[in-house]
Amino acid sequence: MATVSADNPIKEHPAATTAILSVVGYALVVGTFLGWVPGTVFPDLTLEQVNLFSDAIAVINTVNVVVIALGWRWIRRNEVRKHAAAMITSFALILVFLVLYLTKIGGGGTKEFVGPAFAYYPYLAMLAIHIILSIVSVPVVLYALVLGLTHTEQELRTQTPHRKVGRIAASAWLLSLVLGVVTYLLLNHVYGWEYSASAASQAAMTLVAPAIGF
């Protein structure tokens, strides 16, 4: 990956840049879950559309698992350009995932697992690890990306913790994605679920219902 300029403020302050981007990302997700983001921002999704979004997200995450694994393999072989392309592609897939995920939650809702206890508790454990890793991975992934985009290959090797941070970011995000795909399969294709509309959707229905007689 190449540097843009020696006096690039992002290059000079990668930690601050990472912190700002992380806060923005967290705010979007939390705001959507709690209904703070106006419902008009999201399309009003039917349950069928929510299911389609879930399927699309699972496909994207599965592809991302492969991309990250390839990126890891390529850097171990010192194929830097391929590694950089894989990591940038992975981050682009993360952004696509985020847009689809927020749209699904904000415009539709969530599905709660319905199944036997012997499957329910492992499902909850995997889901919890998936969510925790997703949360803590954000700043680490962003930091590795910011370093990679603003420094030369030589600078990354000798002047930054990119190698160490990248290894942690890839490991955490890879495990999070795998667990996300497994929980998706358990929820949607192995056992059952109950649908719960999002706070934004419920608020929209509260406003619309009197007008349409519901």
Side-chain angles (χ1 to χ4, degrees):
M1 297 186 187
T3 182
V4 236
S5 79
D7 56 354
N8 182 348
I10 297 178
K11 179 179 180 178
E12 294 176 356
H13 306 285
T17 301
T18 299
I20 293 171
L21 293 175
S22 298
V23 169
V24 171
Y26 288 142
L28 284 173
V29 174
V30 174
T32 300
F33 262 102
L34 297 180
W36 296 344
V37 178
T40 52
V41 172
F42 306 104
D44 189 14
L45 301 178
T46 64
L47 178 55
E48 181 180 3
Q49 290 171 324
V50 168
N51 287 330
L52 288 175
F53 269 74
S54 297
D55 295 340
I57 288 170
V59 170
I60 289 170
N61 286 345
T62 301
V63 171
N64 210 354
V65 168
V66 177
V67 171
I68 294 174
L70 287 173
W72 200 327
R73 180 181 183 183
W74 282 327
I75 197 60
R76 289 176 66 86
R77 294 183 172 187
N78 205 32
E79 298 182 72
V80 178
R81 289 185 179 275
K82 289 184 178 180
H83 166 75
M87 294 303 100
I88 292 173
T89 300
S90 174
F91 186 71
L93 289 172
I94 290 173
L95 293 181
V96 174
F97 152 77
L98 185 61
V99 170
L100 293 179
Y101 181 72
L102 292 180
T103 303
K104 179 176 78 79
I105 298 300
T110 58
K111 292 185 286 187
E112 306 296 332
F113 182 87
V114 176
F118 72 84
Y120 178 69
Y121 293 107
Y123 168 84
L124 282 186
M126 287 188 289
L127 183 62
I129 296 172
H130 162 68
I131 293 173
I132 292 171
L133 285 177
S134 297
I135 294 171
V136 300
S137 293
V138 170
V140 187
V141 170
L142 286 173
Y143 189 55
L145 183 73
V146 169
L147 290 176
L149 290 175
T150 57
H151 292 72
T152 64
E153 180 184 341
Q154 182 62 28
E155 289 172 337
L156 288 174
R157 293 181 182 275
T158 60
Q159 300 177 22
T160 75
H162 178 76
R163 182 176 181 179
K164 180 179 180 181
V165 172
R167 188 183 300 115
I168 296 172
S171 300
W173 198 257
L174 195 59
L175 180 56
S176 173
L177 288 172
V178 169
L179 290 177
V181 173
V182 172
T183 54
Y184 157 82
L185 292 173
L186 292 175
L187 178 67
N188 292 275
H189 299 288
V190 179
Y191 297 104
W193 45 265
E194 290 181 351
Y195 182 65
S196 175
S198 68
S201 295
Q202 291 175 351
M205 284 302 297
T206 301
L207 295 175
V208 173
I212 59 179
F214 286 174

